Amino acid sequence: MKKKAVLTVTVLMVILAVFGISRLFPSYSSVIKSNWGISLPIKAVLTETYEKDSGASFHGDGVRYHVFSYKYEDYIDLMFAWTPNEHKTNFYPTTREAAEVWLDEIDVPSDERPDYSKCCSWSKSQDDNSEIIFFWDNNLNKLYIVESFI
């Protein structure tokens, strides 16, 4: 009986610890939701394959980059009104140029970057001119997300 109580308390403590740690280190999906109001589709079964950022900063500015592979394309397709054409960003004539400048800033190797000619894109900006750009390569089943915080 005593062993059962100790085991139960131990299991509960482990569950609470895991829950507490996960709250301290939120997932990238929750960060995107909090910063941009965008929900990454859980049903797409996203797997992060690459991540890099400019590091912590006092003001929270900098660049973040994430690459995901996914299992189910339909959910990615429904995220946005994807466009195969380049479009202007706040500071650059095309999404490609903006992404290249930001990825150069954090030294992302070329093999981790999107092949822009094969991607659809979508972008959003905030009042402070921070921007996020999504590139979707449906042939490779890859979703690339580049954020620039000002």
Side-chain angles (χ1 to χ4, degrees), residues 11-96:
V11 168
L12 285 173
M13 288 175 59
V14 168
I15 290 170
L16 289 173
V18 168
F19 179 74
I21 289 170
S22 69
R23 303 278 286 165
L24 290 174
F25 303 103
S27 72
Y28 184 63
S29 293
S30 65
V31 172
I32 288 283
K33 178 71 172 166
S34 175
N35 288 337
W36 300 99
I38 297 168
S39 295
L40 296 178
I42 295 168
K43 291 183 177 182
V45 188
L46 296 166
T47 303
E48 188 172 50
T49 61
Y50 184 83
E51 172 276 318
K52 191 157 187 187
D53 63 45
S54 53
S57 73
F58 182 73
H59 296 287
D61 57 337
V63 175
R64 291 186 196 146
Y65 180 58
H66 294 264
V67 181
F68 293 92
S69 64
Y70 57 86
K71 191 170 182 177
Y72 301 110
E73 177 178 310
D74 293 348
Y75 300 102
I76 304 298
D77 188 33
L78 297 172
M79 282 180 70
F80 309 116
W82 295 99
T83 176
N85 303 323
E86 289 286 337
H87 54 277
K88 190 175 182 325
T89 69
N90 288 344
F91 301 106
Y92 299 96
T94 65
T95 51
R96 176 187 187 146

Side-chain angles (χ1 to χ4, degrees), residues 85-119:
N85 303 323
E86 289 286 337
H87 54 277
K88 190 175 182 325
T89 69
N90 288 344
F91 301 106
Y92 299 96
T94 65
T95 51
R96 176 187 187 146
E97 288 179 59
E100 283 297 296
V101 168
W102 300 337
L103 297 178
D104 285 347
E105 187 177 317
I106 58 172
D107 298 320
V108 173
S110 61
D111 62 327
E112 294 295 344
R113 297 179 186 211
D115 180 346
Y116 303 101
S117 66
K118 296 180 180 173
C119 290

